[in-house]
Amino acid sequence: MFNNASGGANMATAILRLPAVKARTGLSRSTIYLRISEGSFPKPVSLGGRAVGWVEAEVNAWLNRQIEASRKAAR
């Protein structure tokens, strides 16, 4: 099959399109692209033409880091 973002084989890599990324993160389109330009959000991958998507594992890892940072700040 495909390699996943963590380097493992035989696991399909899921690609999320922008509406799914917005729903998962709660961020707007402009905020997502601003954070990409700042280097604080995963870059999308080209799917051909004008289509892009995000590797699900990278978005999930970003979300986990945000949750962890939020919990540390609250202590």
Side-chain angles (χ1 to χ4, degrees):
M1 293 199 93
F2 301 97
N3 288 335
N4 68 12
S6 63
N10 297 326
M11 293 183 66
T13 300
I15 299 294
L16 303 175
R17 297 299 303 272
L18 184 60
V21 174
K22 288 171 53 179
R24 284 209 185 176
T25 63
L27 300 175
S28 69
R29 177 191 182 281
S30 58
T31 300
I32 290 168
Y33 280 100
L34 174 65
R35 291 188 180 186
I36 290 168
S37 70
E38 295 171 343
S40 63
F41 193 81
K43 292 182 180 180
V45 295
S46 175
L47 302 175
R50 293 172 41 177
V52 297
W54 284 259
V55 176
E56 181 179 34
E58 293 176 358
V59 174
N60 288 340
W62 180 88
L63 282 168
N64 289 332
R65 287 191 304 272
Q66 294 301 114
I67 293 167
E68 186 177 315
S70 175
R71 299 292 187 251
K72 285 182 180 178
R75 293 181 192 166

